[in-house]
Amino acid sequence: YNIKLKESQPGKTSATWTQIITTISEEGNKYYETYDENNYKLKMKRIENMMNHYLETGEKLIMDEHHDLHSN
């Protein structure tokens, strides 16, 4: 991941998030082939929620094995 932050207006920040996916095995290729746009959007929404929670509270969220978010 590469995240670039830029002040968009006083007191506001915009973020540009870049991700490059490179597979290095047949298993990785199979995973990537099933990783659709909906899966990507869900993952990014979870990460966005985690980042916003941290910025608002100073506490990180933990994702459990069911992909549910919990505070420490």
Side-chain angles (χ1 to χ4, degrees), residues 37-70:
E37 185 175 348
N38 188 53
N39 289 336
Y40 177 77
K41 286 181 179 181
L42 289 172
K43 179 180 178 181
M44 290 297 104
K45 188 64 177 170
R46 280 190 205 101
I47 291 172
E48 176 186 1
N49 290 340
M50 293 170 82
M51 291 177 69
N52 285 336
H53 178 81
Y54 179 79
L55 292 171
E56 291 170 5
T57 68
E59 297 178 5
K60 73 176 185 175
L61 291 175
I62 307 292
M63 188 181 304
D64 67 20
E65 67 274 4
H66 304 291
H67 301 281
D68 294 324
L69 300 175
H70 305 277

Side-chain angles (χ1 to χ4, degrees), residues 4-15:
K4 293 183 181 181
L5 303 175
K6 179 181 178 184
E7 184 177 29
S8 57
Q9 41 183 292
K12 300 284 183 178
T13 302
S14 65

Side-chain angles (χ1 to χ4, degrees), residues 19-33:
Q19 177 184 14
I20 298 173
I21 299 172
T22 304
T23 63
I24 57 173
S25 68
E26 189 59 35
E27 183 179 348
N29 291 341
K30 288 178 183 176
Y31 173 80
Y32 179 72
E33 288 171 3

